[in-house]
């Protein structure tokens, strides 16, 4: 018998100027899947020209932002001077390390968006590394039981993604145009989550919707996946992360003190986070700093 997954409800949140997304991670009862510490599913949504995403300059530390584009396009700009349009079936990977700032803006003529954005916590050995940005125009694809498997991160069915990560991790986009059923081998040392991106699916007999995700603990060796026609799933996994993390706003750290210092640097326009050129709008507003982070230790 395959291991029964645990079902978690996603919550709704707003990003940019009113774009509603479904947030899978962090979840109150499940903060991370391996080093994956944040997972937003945005869209599919269709909008008028000029009504897309406009996420102003904001900082990151201690993580990699990972964007998987399914439909539509988005322009990434950052304080290193990177400027990269991401198109469907492409990945943008921004390694924040010690610090970076960026914007994400829908191009003027664009009228649709369907994307998954995830964050990867950097291990202690890499979390203060210099920032960098990488764009992957093409990912490996395998046909498996009539399912198209795009290997986004890690190794799957003998193929490896070129996406550069620093922990044992997996991300696969599984899509099909016809009803399909398959068994997928899992690594018992990984924990996993499965999220429906479109259509309808069952995993180990449990129904997935766009409002839930199924989580599988370490020790699972396979899952049974049934996909309805025109459906798409995201499978992520990884070895349980090396330590607890502290996640506040756009920062991942280990102590309140270092997050407080990073935020002071951001507010002071410190060169740690640089500036994004060619963006005329406002910086993103941080939520109020929690009282326990305000007091100096
Ligand atoms: Mn960001």
């Amino acid at each position: 018998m395959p291991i029964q997954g645990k079902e978690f409800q996603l919550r709704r949140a707003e990003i940019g100027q009113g774009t509603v997304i479904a947030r899978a991670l962090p979840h109150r009862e499940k903060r991370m899947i391996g080093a994956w510490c944040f997972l937003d599913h945005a869209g599919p949504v269709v909008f008028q020209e000029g009504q897309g995403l406009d996420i102003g300059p904001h900082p990151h530390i201690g993580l990699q932002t990972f964007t998987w584009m399914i439909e539509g396009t988005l322009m990434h700009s950052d304080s290193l001077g990177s400027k990269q349009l991401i198109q469907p079936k492409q990945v943008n990977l921004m390694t924040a390390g010690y610090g970076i700032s960026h914007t994400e803006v829908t191009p003027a003529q664009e009228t649709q968006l369907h994307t998954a954005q995830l964050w990867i916590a950097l291990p202690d050995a890499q979390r203060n590394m210099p920032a960098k940005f990488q764009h992957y125009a093409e990912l490996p694809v395998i046909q498996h039981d009539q399912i198209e498997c795009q290997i986004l991160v890690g190794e799957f069915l003998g193929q490896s993604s070129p996406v550069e990560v620093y922990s044992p991790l997996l991300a696969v986009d599984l899509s099909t145009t016809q009803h399909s059923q398959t068994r997928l081998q899992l690594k018992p040392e990984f924990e996993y989550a499965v999220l429906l991106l479109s259509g309808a699916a069952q995993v180990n007999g449990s129904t997935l919707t766009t409002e839930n995700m199924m989580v599988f603990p370490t020790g699972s060796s396979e899952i049974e996946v049934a996909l309805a026609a025109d459906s798409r799933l995201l499978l992520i996994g990884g070895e349980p992360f090396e330590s607890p993390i502290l996640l506040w706003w756009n920062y991942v750290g280990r102590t309140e003190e270092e997050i407080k210092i990073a935020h002071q640097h951001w507010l002071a326009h410190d060169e740690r986070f640089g500036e994004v050129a060619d963006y005329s709008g406002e910086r993103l507003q941080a939520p109020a700093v929690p009282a326990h982070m305000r007091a100096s230790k």
Side-chain angles (χ1 to χ4, degrees):
M1 274 289 287
I3 289 182
Q4 204 60 40
K6 194 164 178 197
E7 181 184 345
F8 291 97
Q9 296 301 308
L10 311 188
R11 59 198 161 101
R12 295 278 153 184
E14 264 189 29
I15 56 169
Q17 299 162 344
T19 303
V20 176
I21 53 85
R23 183 156 297 159
L25 293 175
H27 189 282
R28 202 156 24 90
E29 294 169 57
K30 187 64 188 159
R31 313 296 298 177
M32 304 175 79
I33 299 290
W36 299 107
C37 61
F38 184 92
L39 168 49
D40 270 0
H41 177 208
V45 62
V46 175
F47 43 80
Q48 304 280 315
E49 286 183 12
Q51 299 296 304
L53 268 190
D54 185 354
I55 301 181
H58 61 280
H60 286 289
I61 64 166
L63 57 84
Q64 296 176 290
T65 64
F66 174 94
T67 306
W68 168 237
M69 189 58 69
I70 302 158
E71 288 167 305
T73 57
L74 205 53
M75 178 62 82
H76 160 94
S77 308
D78 65 42
S79 53
L80 300 173
S82 322
K83 237 181 168 17
Q84 180 66 55
L85 184 75
I86 183 173
Q87 297 183 288
K89 301 197 172 186
Q90 298 184 342
V91 164
N92 273 357
L93 181 73
M94 185 180 77
T95 303
Y98 182 64
I100 195 169
S101 59
H102 74 140
T103 59
E104 287 164 296
V105 179
T106 299
Q109 312 299 311
E110 184 59 74
T111 58
Q112 57 176 337
L113 180 70
H114 190 193
T115 183
Q117 193 183 73
L118 300 95
W119 295 354
I120 303 164
L122 286 168
D124 209 39
Q126 282 86 22
R127 67 195 187 93
N128 289 308
M129 68 187 278
K132 61 177 173 178
F133 175 80
Q134 290 154 294
H135 173 73
Y136 298 91
E138 226 176 304
L139 285 308
V141 182
I142 299 174
Q143 292 292 331
H144 179 73
D145 290 344
Q146 291 141 2
I147 296 173
E148 189 175 292
C149 306
Q150 317 243 357
I151 323 297
L152 308 183
V153 174
E155 186 268 328
F156 190 71
L157 296 172
Q159 288 260 18
S160 291
S161 161
V163 171
E164 191 177 7
V165 296
Y166 300 93
S167 299
L169 275 187
L170 178 75
V172 185
D173 176 288
L174 304 152
S175 65
T176 184
T177 54
Q178 54 192 299
H179 176 80
S180 315
Q181 212 157 350
T182 191
R183 280 166 185 251
L184 302 173
Q185 301 304 307
L186 303 183
K187 292 182 175 173
E189 65 272 27
F190 276 26
E191 51 188 353
Y192 292 88
V194 189
L195 191 82
L196 186 69
L197 296 173
S198 57
Q202 292 211 324
V203 175
N204 287 2
S206 298
T207 301
L208 280 177
T209 71
T210 48
E211 306 295 326
N212 68 4
M213 67 171 164
M214 297 298 297
V215 171
F216 297 90
T218 55
S220 311
S221 54
E222 68 170 22
I223 46 172
E224 294 176 357
V225 174
L227 281 173
D230 298 317
S231 296
R232 181 180 296 276
L233 277 186
L234 179 66
L235 169 68
I236 60 170
E239 278 182 25
F241 196 59
E242 63 183 22
S243 70
I245 61 166
L246 214 54
L247 191 163
W248 182 72
W249 195 36
N250 294 300
Y251 309 119
V252 168
R254 302 294 183 273
T255 67
E256 289 190 358
E257 190 61 22
E258 62 181 305
I259 287 182
K260 198 172 75 178
I261 289 168
H263 196 50
Q264 283 164 356
H265 285 155
W266 168 247
L267 295 175
H269 290 255
D270 189 275
E271 63 183 19
R272 176 174 183 175
F273 295 108
E275 301 286 341
V276 180
D278 305 329
Y279 186 86
S280 52
E282 301 274 306
R283 288 171 146 210
L284 281 199
Q285 292 288 333
V289 177
H292 53 89
M293 274 179 52
R294 263 182 258 139
S296 284
K297 281 182 185 162

